[in-house]
Amino acid sequence: MDDELNLLRRSRMCWNTPLSETHAELLLDRMDLTGGHLVDLGCGWGKLLLQALGRARDLRGTGVDTDEGALARARAATLDRGLGSRVDWVEADAADWADPAERAFCIGAAHIFGSTKEALERLARVVPSGRLLYGDGFWAAPPGPAALEIFGPDLLTLPELLDAADAAGWRVLHVSTADQLEWDDFESTSRAAWEEWLAGHRDDPRAGEVREWLDRRLREYVRDYRGVLGFTYLVLGR
């Protein structure tokens, strides 16, 4: 799929994770944001980082991602909020980030480190003393063959994920999980912009590929992983 359509697909998405505004505010509360440096590894378009900066005037932020289109969206939102002097957007591989920070976000980006366990171990070096907001998928129910094929065999259960955090030297300060409405909204908004585009571009050469993706995504969600794949948000401390 070309870059234009890929950017369009995410345009109706508030978050690139199953999350509500209320839940996001709760997580920011638990992060105890004051001054210092907050780095968001795998930041996407940086909405949560910008909300954090809006809460704490003495906080500086850095968002790191390889997605040029998402970073352009982040920079535009930064200008709208008047936060340009307090945040940097860096196009780089977040797995290589080495500068320590007092606070960090890593949400839905464990794969860039290789696995959940490797991510938690690597992030302990990024935050030698402070707090980490870590978001990751887990098996909320035993997966069937189709879900295993989609998400791979390395996904943990929630107890296993907490054990991995403990093994990496983290203290678990907060645990919450995405509810069904957050999941349904995330999946629906991930399809919404392409559904709108398809309705007005049925003769476009790309329409067949878009329709196929939309149909497969909805089918997989409803049949294979709705209620099976969970997503947790952990506030971890060191």
Side-chain angles (χ1 to χ4, degrees), residues 103-171:
R103 298 287 186 271
F105 296 160
C106 183
I107 300 174
H111 60 280
I112 66 177
F113 299 95
S115 70
T116 293
K117 293 179 180 179
E118 290 171 315
L120 289 165
E121 291 169 359
R122 180 68 182 82
L123 290 164
R125 298 200 293 273
V126 175
V127 185
S129 177
R131 295 192 181 191
L132 165 70
L133 174 56
Y134 180 76
D136 204 350
F138 68 94
W139 293 127
L148 281 170
E149 183 176 354
I150 295 168
F151 298 105
D154 296 329
L155 207 64
L156 305 177
T157 64
L158 186 54
E160 290 170 338
L161 202 160
L162 296 178
D163 287 344
D166 180 70
W170 295 101
R171 298 293 300 170

Side-chain angles (χ1 to χ4, degrees), residues 136-211:
D136 204 350
F138 68 94
W139 293 127
L148 281 170
E149 183 176 354
I150 295 168
F151 298 105
D154 296 329
L155 207 64
L156 305 177
T157 64
L158 186 54
E160 290 170 338
L161 202 160
L162 296 178
D163 287 344
D166 180 70
W170 295 101
R171 298 293 300 170
V172 178
L173 307 179
H174 169 87
V175 182
S176 54
T177 60
D179 65 24
Q180 196 60 66
L181 180 58
E182 288 174 307
W183 264 114
D184 289 344
D185 188 59
F186 168 66
E187 289 288 338
S188 294
T189 55
S190 76
R191 302 190 313 273
W194 273 10
E195 287 287 4
E196 294 166 5
W197 179 89
L198 186 61
H201 297 82
R202 298 187 185 279
D203 295 328
D204 190 287
R206 300 166 293 179
E209 187 178 359
V210 169
R211 184 182 296 107

Side-chain angles (χ1 to χ4, degrees), residues 92-110:
D93 187 343
D96 295 331
W97 189 261
D99 293 347
E102 292 84 7
R103 298 287 186 271
F105 296 160
C106 183
I107 300 174

